[in-house]
Amino acid sequence: MAKTRTQYVCQNCGSAQMKWAGRCPDCGEWNTLVETVVAEPSKSAARAALVPTSAAQPLPAIASDGFARIPLPLPELSRVLGGGIVPGSVVLVGGDPGIGKSTLLLQMASFLARDGKPILYVSGEESAQQVKLRADRLGVADASLYVLAEVSLEQVLAQMEHLHPRLTIVDSIQSVYTEELTGAAGSVGQVRECASQLLRFAKSNNSPVFLVGHVTKTGAIAGPRVLEHIVDTVLYLEGERFQSYRLLRSVKNRFGSTNEVGVFEMGEGGLREVLNPSEAFLAERLPNAAGSAIAVTLEGTRPLLVEIQALSSTTSFAISRRTANGVDFNRLLLLVAVLSKRLGLRLSDQDIFVNVVGGLKVSEPAADLAVAIAIASSFKNVPVMADLAIVGEIGLSGELRAVGQLAKRLNEAAKLGFKRCLVPRGAARQAQGPDGLGLVGARSLDEALEAALVR
Ligand code: TYD
Ligand code: MG
């Protein structure tokens, strides 16, 4: 084993220092030195480096699908992972505190433990009793699910060597520390070093590891996204804390497509998969209320129908307010500006609130038209036609722009029983609406509003 020592590496310029300092002596940036373990170069290693130890192979000689995935009986989770768990892969599950990461992973562990092979759940944050309490609540009681309440990485690795688990879960990576570094658990150096050591174990034993990562206030996992580069797959569990829906999103996946989402609902017995999310999101809709419009958005590769609600009311202050819940605030300002300038709606003295029902976040411009129509509908106090779904991006001149993957969106709208879909004019000529779905084309926001509001 190579001798190691620690040094402080600047995250900005890459220079290595023997001592920690608040400011990097080379580039002058503040707070960039991070404690790092480095291998001491030895003479024999330098000589050995001249002799290749692993042979380069011609590309066709490499087997392409060497990994037989471990199947997961949870279809939503399995899809987000790209179709099961790849042996030897390291998956990072990030999310706000209390969103349900531990619950999701404990449920997954329980499913996998059913065929009798050991699964190791390392809990650095909660005691074994706390894990047991959660397990009782979830109805999990598998004999081959092992719980280890430990924060020392060396102990965790020793336990993994001993148990040869089929899967290891480390909850959370911020709570474990290695004795090789002096930094506190959760510091950038510690998190990175612990993750790399777990990665080495996973790769050399072909045993997958799931890491739980907390999201910092700025939204990055463990500081400056140090972990995302190291691991194979990054999943984010998101949702509003006081809403029951949770979205599991893959933002990086070396073994599958990114941008997949799985939809779950948090209930008394843990997370339940929502197999038909559009239906769930529209369940409480009041069809003839002013200010409500249905957008057909795409989450990754999956079409989702969501209700966009807007409320416009005369302000009682000198400056009117705009509040965006689930849509981008700047996008909302832009749409309000287009509505005022191109359609002449007097929105300057209106407080405007926009909300996406179910705690979803819609970041696609394809939802523009639904947001704008919802605002206009509330302002005019005229409802949107109940059987109409809406797709379209709005340009600064109030023109409607085509959106990607229209056929997929139309299929979903038809499946949920919508009779008509409002689309940009160009698309109305091309795309054939699926069974029973009439396409209503509009060139501008003006025309779209004309077609959408009840007369
Ligand atoms: P948890 O998995 O502990 O979140 P994280 O690990 O991301 O911090 O979940 C915490 C929340 O989930 C907590 O507020 C309680 C709620 N919950 C349920 O609603 N139902 C359940 O069955 C469980 C286990 C938790
Ligand atoms: Mg937790």
Side-chain angles (χ1 to χ4, degrees):
M1 176 116 180
K3 265 213 315 227
T4 59
R5 64 191 160 84
T6 60
Q7 52 178 227
Y8 297 86
V9 177
C10 175
Q11 300 296 290
N12 185 46
C13 67
S15 72
Q17 310 295 332
M18 295 313 291
K19 276 201 306 207
W20 189 82
R23 186 180 192 189
C24 172
D26 284 346
C27 65
E29 278 297 313
W30 289 93
N31 264 334
T32 54
L33 292 187
V34 168
E35 192 182 22
T36 309
V37 180
V38 288
E40 196 92 70
S42 69
K43 282 206 178 116
S44 61
R47 240 176 283 127
L50 298 175
V51 186
T53 47
S54 53
Q57 297 177 56
L59 189 61
I62 304 171
S64 50
D65 202 352
F67 34 86
R69 293 173 189 254
I70 303 171
L72 261 178
L74 294 155
E76 292 284 297
L77 179 58
S78 175
R79 207 201 36 244
V80 175
L81 284 167
I85 303 172
V86 176
S89 66
V90 176
V91 179
L92 174 66
V93 181
D96 291 332
I99 202 78
K101 302 179 292 295
S102 305
T103 307
L104 177 68
L105 292 180
L106 195 61
Q107 285 182 291
M108 181 186 82
S110 149
F111 272 114
L112 288 173
R114 286 192 190 152
D115 47 8
K117 295 185 193 131
I119 306 284
L120 179 60
Y121 185 99
V122 179
S123 175
E125 293 184 344
E126 296 165 313
S127 65
Q129 282 72 29
Q130 282 171 307
V131 177
K132 172 74 176 153
L133 270 178
R134 181 180 295 114
D136 287 346
R137 190 169 171 189
L138 298 172
V140 169
D142 300 276
S144 54
L145 179 55
Y146 291 82
V147 176
L148 174 68
E150 181 57 75
V151 289
S152 156
L153 182 74
E154 282 71 24
Q155 291 292 321
V156 171
L157 288 171
Q159 192 60 239
M160 287 163 81
E161 286 288 354
H162 170 72
L163 203 62
H164 286 294
R166 188 181 189 199
L167 171 87
T168 306
I169 294 164
V170 178
D171 185 1
S172 66
I173 187 69
Q174 275 98 351
S175 63
V176 294
Y177 71 95
T178 166
E179 273 139 35
E180 287 182 42
L181 296 177
T182 55
S187 65
V188 173
Q190 283 283 1
V191 163
R192 192 172 54 187
E193 184 55 29
C194 291
S196 335
Q197 292 203 27
L198 288 164
L199 181 95
R200 241 167 280 150
F201 182 94
K203 299 287 172 215
S204 52
N205 292 278
N206 223 14
S207 161
V209 174
F210 275 62
L211 306 175
V212 171
H214 290 296
V215 172
T216 59
K217 288 206 179 64
T218 53
I221 294 178
R225 310 201 132 198
V226 275
L227 281 179
E228 296 193 354
H229 302 289
I230 300 174
V231 302
D232 299 308
T233 302
V234 179
L235 309 180
Y236 271 96
L237 189 62
E238 39 178 69
E240 294 288 323
R241 206 165 168 178
F242 299 105
Q243 298 263 3
S244 56
Y245 293 111
R246 301 282 183 270
L247 256 65
L248 184 68
R249 203 185 283 278
S250 82
V251 292
K252 166 180 175 179
N253 197 348
R254 287 187 183 146
F255 305 112
S257 76
T258 50
N259 275 330
E260 281 291 351
V261 282
V263 183
F264 297 84
E265 188 176 5
M266 179 66 93
E268 268 312 298
L271 287 161
R272 195 177 55 78
E273 304 197 304
V274 179
L275 296 173
N276 194 346
S278 298
E279 206 171 275
F281 291 136
L282 299 185
E284 288 169 359
R285 175 184 176 220
L286 285 179
N288 282 314
S292 151
I294 306 300
V296 192
T297 66
L298 216 57
E299 280 291 351
T301 54
R302 182 176 208 185
L304 267 187
L305 268 75
V306 292
E307 180 184 355
I308 312 260
Q309 292 186 328
L311 183 67
S312 146
S313 78
T314 310
T315 184
S316 40
F317 299 103
I319 303 171
S320 54
R321 286 192 304 165
R322 276 89 178 85
T323 307
N325 239 330
V327 293
D328 181 53
F329 183 68
N330 289 320
R331 200 79 201 162
L332 169 63
L333 294 185
L334 185 149
L335 294 175
V336 169
V338 172
L339 282 167
S340 323
K341 179 91 181 169
R342 306 287 170 204
L343 270 68
L345 300 190
R346 220 188 113 87
L347 297 173
S348 56
D349 62 349
Q350 297 288 314
D351 284 337
I352 295 173
F353 308 88
V354 172
N355 182 35
V356 180
V357 175
L360 283 187
K361 286 192 178 58
V362 179
S363 49
E364 259 203 316
D368 282 357
L369 187 55
V371 175
I373 288 180
I375 297 172
S377 155
S378 173
F379 177 72
K380 295 174 183 260
N381 209 13
V382 180
V384 179
M385 297 193 186
D387 61 353
L388 186 75
I390 300 171
V391 190
E393 179 180 344
I394 298 179
L396 291 185
S397 340
E399 82 279 16
L400 299 191
R401 303 183 158 268
V403 299
Q405 313 210 37
L406 190 65
K408 235 182 207 170
R409 299 176 200 255
L410 296 178
N411 269 324
E412 181 76 2
K415 211 168 80 192
L416 281 147
F418 281 85
K419 294 279 171 293
R420 293 174 316 137
C421 187
L422 184 56
V423 294
R425 170 72 53 83
R429 247 182 276 126
Q430 296 160 15
Q432 186 65 44
D435 304 327
L437 188 76
L439 295 187
V440 183
R443 197 174 304 133
S444 64
L445 182 52
D446 216 355
E447 281 180 36
L449 208 56
E450 189 69 23
L453 299 188
V454 171
R455 263 166 297 229

